[in-house]
Amino acid sequence: MDRTSVKIVVAGGFGTGKTTLVASVSEIPPLTTEELLTEASVGVDDTTGVEGKTTTTVALDFGRITISPDVVLYLFGTPGQDRFWFMWDELAQGAVGAIVLVDTRRLDSSFPAVDYFERRGIPFVTAVNRFFGECDYTEDEIRGALELDPKVPLVWCDARDRGSSKLALITLVRHAMARLPARA
Amino acid sequence: MTLETWDGDDESAAGRFVPLYVLVNGRTAPRDSSLDLATQVVALPVDTRRLEPEYLEILRRCDGWISVAEIGAYLRMPLAITKVMVDVLIEQGYLEVGNPAQQKIIDRHVLDAVLAGLERL
Ligand SMILES: Nc1nc2c(ncn2[C@@H]2O[C@H](COP(=O)(O)OP(=O)(O)OP(=O)(O)O)[C@@H](O)[C@H]2O)c(=O)[nH]1
Ligand SMILES: [Mg+2]
């Protein structure tokens, strides 16, 4: 086998535990890479010109797991603010699939992520991060709130716990494999 | 090395952020569009004396297989710049490139390997 990269996206709303999940399973402390953005400020009174434009960066954090001498799995956390959709496109392209983290205190904050992967037919699993112990919702209530397709797996997780994050990853890979055409 | 920047999208709605296109050696995007941020590269044993310092610094990171994203993170370079510079190094024969993560249908053998690897974790 040639040197091969495999990508998994870790998505979800702001502060849902994406970086924590990446850190709990990565073999290196999560790294951060930045993309340059510029503000396209075109107004009616556009006299400021180019100097008026601001540049900013959006940070992505990622980790790695060496699978075999030839295969490395990269886990990319999406930027917290979901207005940077073009970054999601870059991350999702060619990915095995995504883990969408859900914080039960703010279920709706993960809805854009669910919607994004659903629309593009990218395999994903939802991982409900319980944060403070017991959760006030049943699985059905969470599925209802996120309008989850019944085929989308839902796992309960603690993003700080390696075993729990590992289970979410395994569930995703199995789900992605189940969607492949039958073995030739 | 020529490194200039411009705002590639003047037509966007006010206040919206768009990717900043970066001009490196006369190019704004990798020639090889499959160059993904997870794609790994490794230095080839060739003479590097003619290389500019910025490129040499990248090559020094590539004595073992390493992804575009890792190079950018270690050298604190934005992805847009890292990608184009890595692409220049591939084109000029300094770097060998591995399989990109971008494949329409991910190979079942690869997923089998990933699953086994995760279960061993
Ligand atoms: N109790 C508990 N706390 C968690 C869990 N996962 C994350 N946290 C905490 O929640 C906070 C946010 O976690 P992050 O991993 O930074 O979340 P994120 O999704 O990367 O956040 P942004 O990148 O800002 O969107 C941190 O203080 C974590 O320590 C969990 O499973 N349980
Ligand atoms: Mg984060």
Side-chain angles (χ1 to χ4, degrees), chain B residues 42-47 59 87-96:
Chain B
V42 69
L44 288 166
V46 292
D47 184 356
L59 271 189
D87 186 56
V88 167
L89 287 169
I90 294 168
E91 189 184 37
Q92 297 184 356
Y94 292 101
L95 289 176
E96 181 185 342

Side-chain angles (χ1 to χ4, degrees), chain A residues 91-113:
Chain A
L91 295 175
Q93 209 168 14
V96 169
I99 292 174
V100 175
L101 278 160
V102 176
D103 177 347
T104 53
R105 295 165 298 181
R106 286 165 294 146
L107 284 179
D108 57 330
S109 80
S110 292
F111 185 73

Side-chain angles (χ1 to χ4, degrees), chain A residues 89-157:
Chain A
D89 293 342
E90 162 114 39
L91 295 175
Q93 209 168 14
V96 169
I99 292 174
V100 175
L101 278 160
V102 176
D103 177 347
T104 53
R105 295 165 298 181
R106 286 165 294 146
L107 284 179
D108 57 330
S109 80
S110 292
F111 185 73
V114 167
D115 188 52
Y116 178 92
F117 296 110
E118 191 88 67
R119 277 173 197 275
R120 285 162 184 78
I122 296 167
F124 69 98
V125 301
T126 42
V128 183
N129 211 347
R130 264 183 282 202
F131 284 91
F132 301 105
E134 281 313 296
C135 160
D136 296 335
Y137 302 97
T138 63
E139 174 167 343
D140 282 347
E141 285 169 328
I142 294 171
R143 284 183 174 279
L146 292 173
E147 297 173 26
L148 282 188
D149 182 297
K151 289 197 222 57
V152 173
L154 182 149
V155 295
W156 301 94
C157 90

Side-chain angles (χ1 to χ4, degrees), chain A residues 12-21 61 78-81 101 105 129-133 157-161:
Chain A
F14 187 71
T16 47
K18 301 178 291 285
T19 304
T20 306
L21 186 143
D61 32 43
T78 55
Q81 311 95 313
L101 278 160
R105 295 165 298 181
N129 211 347
R130 264 183 282 202
F131 284 91
F132 301 105
C157 90
D158 182 329
R160 298 164 302 178
D161 180 71

